[in-house]
Amino acid sequence: PVDQRARLQLLDVASLVPEAPTEGCWRGFEKLASRRGSALLKGGKTTSPTASARIHASRAAWTDRLDHLLGGPTGVGAVCAALAMSKDATLDDVIVAVVVGNEVAGRVGASVLLGPNHGMGAGWVHTTAAAAAAGKLLGLDAARMSHAIALALVSGSAIPRSVIVGEGRAAAVGAFVAAGVEAARAAQAGVDGPLDILDAAGGLLEGSCWLPLRHAFSGLGEAWLTQTISFPR
């Protein structure tokens, strides 16, 4: 069931990318993007993994029809990052990476559910989903993945409500997903993140919600958040 939901999620996010109009923030991102790289871009061109993830995530987010699981809309970050890092990977590798993004980022989002910045407003869900998925395809070990997630959490923030319901949503989500991919690549290169970012005084849990739900971090490998994915009609 987890595999099936992740495959549907991959198809769902990929199908949203071409629905965005010709003009939008993604056009600017495309002009800034490198014309060479290991990642495919809509239309058949190639660019860097970071640029690919950012452009595709911003296009998908523009539709306002992102999937959602218990903890937040993890799919756009997990899928766009996994596709951006998919060179030499099998489809099964990509699906596993998407699941990893769902399970890790979903738990982050669920832990701060009792606060003002849940759902689309939790930018750290997008960064973490992208970092976890990208880190899986980069082959990061447990230690480096921990630093990738920490760097992703540092790179995330709350998305203002005025942006969530406006045209800025696409730019914001794209930026967070790109930051997640960069976090994974930085961790692979040896950059360390603050591993106490969740529980430190003034850390994510203290600063982003009224009552942290720490139990959300339990159950990895047993309770599969991926099975809770819902898709807009």
Side-chain angles (χ1 to χ4, degrees), residues 182-230:
E182 281 297 291
R185 299 179 73 188
Q188 182 188 41
V191 178
D192 291 342
L195 298 181
D196 62 347
I197 183 63
L198 287 174
D199 282 309
L204 180 67
L205 295 183
E206 179 181 298
S208 60
C209 63
W210 304 306
L211 178 65
L213 301 179
R214 290 184 172 82
H215 192 66
F217 294 107
S218 64
L220 272 171
E222 299 175 3
W224 295 92
L225 298 182
T226 301
Q227 288 183 289
T228 71
I229 297 174
S230 60

Side-chain angles (χ1 to χ4, degrees), residues 97-217:
V98 170
V99 172
V100 170
N102 287 337
E103 299 301 321
V104 176
R107 282 168 167 76
V108 170
S111 71
V112 297
L113 192 61
L114 300 181
N117 303 307
H118 53 79
M120 279 291 292
W124 44 83
V125 169
H126 300 303
T127 59
T128 305
K136 180 64 177 174
L137 287 172
L138 286 171
L140 301 187
D141 60 21
R144 298 320 305 169
M145 181 68 93
S146 296
H147 287 290
I149 293 170
L151 290 169
L153 291 173
V154 170
S155 303
S157 66
I159 303 177
R161 190 174 299 276
S162 61
V163 174
I164 296 174
V165 298
E167 295 182 1
R169 174 180 57 246
V173 173
F176 284 128
V177 172
V181 173
E182 281 297 291
R185 299 179 73 188
Q188 182 188 41
V191 178
D192 291 342
L195 298 181
D196 62 347
I197 183 63
L198 287 174
D199 282 309
L204 180 67
L205 295 183
E206 179 181 298
S208 60
C209 63
W210 304 306
L211 178 65
L213 301 179
R214 290 184 172 82
H215 192 66
F217 294 107

